[in-house]
Amino acid sequence: MAEAQHLDTPQYDAVVIGAGFAGLYQLHCLREMGLATTVFEAGSNVGGTWYWNRYPGARTDSPSNVYQFLFTDKLVNQWHWSERFPSQAETERYLNWVADQLDLRSDIQFNQRVDSAVWSAENACWIITTESGAQTSARFVISCMGPLSKPVLPSFKGSEAFEGIIVHTSQWPQQDIELAGRRVAVIGTGATGIQVVQTIAAEVQQLTVFQRTANYTIPMKNYPYAESEPLQVDGAQLLQRTRQTFGGFDFDIEHRLWAEVDPAERRATMERLWSEGNLALWVGSFAEQLMEAEANEAVSEFVRQKIRARINDPELEQKLVPTDHGFGTHRVPLETGYYEAYARDNVQLIDANEEPILHLTPTSIVTAHQEIPVDVIICATGFDAVTGALTNIDVRGRDNRSLADLWGKDVRTAMGMQVHGFPNLFITSSPLSPAGAFCNAPTCVQHSVEWISECIGYVQNRGSAIEATAEFEAQWVAHHDETANATLIAKTPSWYTGANIEGKSSRLIGYPGGIPAYVEACEQVKQNGYAGFSIS
Ligand code: N01
């Protein structure tokens, strides 16, 4: 542990928290700039989301051409993806390969969970303490913990006495859990639960799924890339393209107006997007479907029909076809054989609203109607999204103000990059930026990291600290709210609105104005000498 007096002058130029997509690239950029940088990573290896979420069936819902780093020829087309939508294992291997290619490991401290980060105004640096008690100091701190890294686990009466395994999908053990032939319960049917259910249904002895909310889904069209014909992309061109499209993919939203397209043509457009087998029907379709109730209902009904056609049992249909929210107002999962899983004799679907879990016994789940023997309970119950990772750390800014207290009352940021009152703290995948929820992750990660790095470079020549002004932050929050409130997403409870966490401030967590508008806003600030940020 460092002596306190050594912390007076920053030991590092920068501390990065997290070694997933964002942390790896942030380390690379800062090192290229000649900054002494270290990364604290809670896991024993790199990968972030793809290190932790090793549950059965985990796979990206973004295609591999855009779910990778595109910033350097050193990485583009050097890694040969085996399929269109890569699995967790392949994505994790890729990030390990990236860490080796860029020679990053020597600057990453593994098994180091950050406990607190406290701003010292006197020395213009952050004092960072890890769970082990080790301390260091750095001029800048960059949070790269990803939007979905603080799990939410339900508490069940009797869980202490349960003799089986209870596991959250994002805490799946490295040594895996044997599920073949066992009695398994899955709680939650978001993007994660759906992947788990469709993957394990045929393998387990008995599967019981507790569903609170049925989701709209799109069938994933996955296919292998032949070794003889690997995926080849033009990295620079694709990187630019992803910054010009609404969701950060290589496809953009439909630019025709819903009202000006006749119903037959709308239907043909939906069919075409549906057949892409990706997220195009959600973030590559008519903008009005996420803003106007009538357009949204038409698309919702289109998807309901598709789902109904896959289910032969009226009772199952009633449970599995969503009717309580509109298409796209929750994250739309891609699926493969999900509905067919429920036609199996060993799979039971329980409506968790009508038949909630009352308590656990050492060997079973007890509901109001039945006792279900189980060996493993898989909680696919989601995350304290976007804010949870940082509020889990005791972050103290100027005048000892607590970020957790601030965000507990009101989630605010300046373009997602900084929070007023927290100098030299930058955030990636942050609230009120698209990266928080509405962006193909690597697209926004690469953009944020580059903006942050350039900003740090600018500050280095001009002062020792940079902080978003209260005025600029208020302006951004107002712009965010205006953009968000025009959408149906902001009016529909989900993790996007913080509704899955009791008492969480209810502001749409991600900026829904699209990547081009966001990139342009960031560019303007930069061009104007970081207007809206004060340098001291
Ligand atoms: O979490 P979720 P997730 N009893 O919050 C239910 C990304 N992702 O891990 O909707 C019973 O979406 C809850 O019910 P309800 C993606 O961005 C990406 O699935 O609150 N049920 C819901 O059904 C995604 O959006 C990929 O009524 C309970 C579920 O649990 C994000 O991660 C793959 C409950 C939670 O769904 C989060 O997805 C997977 C309780 N006590 C995920 N508590 C890829 O790209 C919660 N629920 C591959």
Side-chain angles (χ1 to χ4, degrees), residues 98-361:
V98 168
D100 293 334
Q101 290 299 109
L102 302 179
D103 192 19
L104 299 174
R105 290 181 196 278
S106 55
D107 288 313
I108 305 175
Q109 304 185 45
F110 293 106
N111 303 304
Q112 294 286 342
R113 189 176 283 280
V114 172
D115 208 27
S116 70
V118 178
W119 175 249
S120 161
E122 198 185 337
N123 302 306
C125 69
W126 286 91
I127 312 291
I128 299 104
T129 308
T130 67
E131 260 178 9
S132 65
Q135 283 197 320
T136 193
S137 56
R139 180 77 70 212
F140 298 96
V141 170
I142 304 100
S143 165
C144 294
M145 291 184 282
L148 300 158
S149 49
K150 186 182 171 201
V152 175
L153 265 162
S155 65
F156 298 115
K157 217 167 114 195
S159 60
E160 337 67 62
F162 182 65
E163 289 166 2
I165 297 168
I166 303 179
V167 62
H168 189 277
T169 43
S170 72
Q171 294 171 332
W172 204 265
Q174 296 275 330
Q175 64 276 21
D176 211 359
I177 298 173
E178 181 63 48
L179 296 177
R182 298 177 91 178
R183 298 161 305 180
V184 178
V186 173
I187 302 171
T189 52
T192 302
I194 285 173
Q195 290 187 330
V196 174
V197 168
Q198 67 195 19
T199 305
I200 68 173
E203 163 193 356
V204 300
Q205 186 196 114
Q206 184 66 41
L207 175 60
T208 308
V209 182
F210 287 87
Q211 172 190 269
R212 211 160 57 177
T213 306
N215 256 308
Y216 295 90
T217 60
I218 297 172
M220 171 186 277
K221 267 197 190 152
N222 198 9
Y223 44 79
Y225 293 122
E227 265 179 50
S228 54
E229 267 181 85
L231 170 74
Q232 290 289 310
V233 301
D234 179 330
Q237 201 181 55
L238 189 54
L239 185 69
Q240 195 186 11
R241 169 75 181 149
T242 55
R243 290 179 187 180
Q244 293 164 343
T245 68
F246 184 82
F249 292 92
D250 56 350
F251 56 79
D252 201 4
I253 46 169
E254 174 62 59
H255 288 291
R256 291 173 298 172
L257 295 177
W258 174 268
E260 290 176 4
V261 175
D262 70 53
E265 177 53 22
R266 287 178 198 153
R267 173 91 196 182
T269 304
M270 288 189 258
E271 288 286 4
R272 178 174 52 77
L273 296 174
W274 178 263
S275 70
E276 299 281 330
N278 58 9
L279 294 172
L281 185 67
W282 182 35
V283 284
S285 189
F286 296 95
E288 292 90 333
Q289 76 181 37
L290 295 175
M291 306 177 83
E292 293 172 10
E294 198 186 319
N296 182 267
E297 176 51 25
V299 185
S300 300
E301 188 48 32
F302 170 84
V303 178
R304 284 187 211 118
Q305 282 171 13
K306 298 283 189 191
I307 298 174
R308 280 190 204 110
R310 304 255 304 269
I311 307 167
N312 292 321
D313 172 333
E315 201 185 316
L316 271 179
E317 184 182 306
Q318 182 142 31
K319 284 183 183 161
L320 286 169
V321 177
T323 50
D324 61 353
H325 63 283
F327 174 79
T329 57
H330 289 181
R331 157 70 144 78
V332 180
L334 299 184
E335 60 77 34
T336 309
Y338 176 63
Y339 299 100
E340 290 69 20
Y342 291 103
R344 299 180 59 87
D345 289 341
N346 66 330
V347 179
Q348 174 184 204
L349 176 63
I350 292 185
D351 178 340
N353 299 309
E354 186 200 288
E355 191 183 337
I357 294 174
L358 297 183
H359 63 94
L360 306 184
T361 74

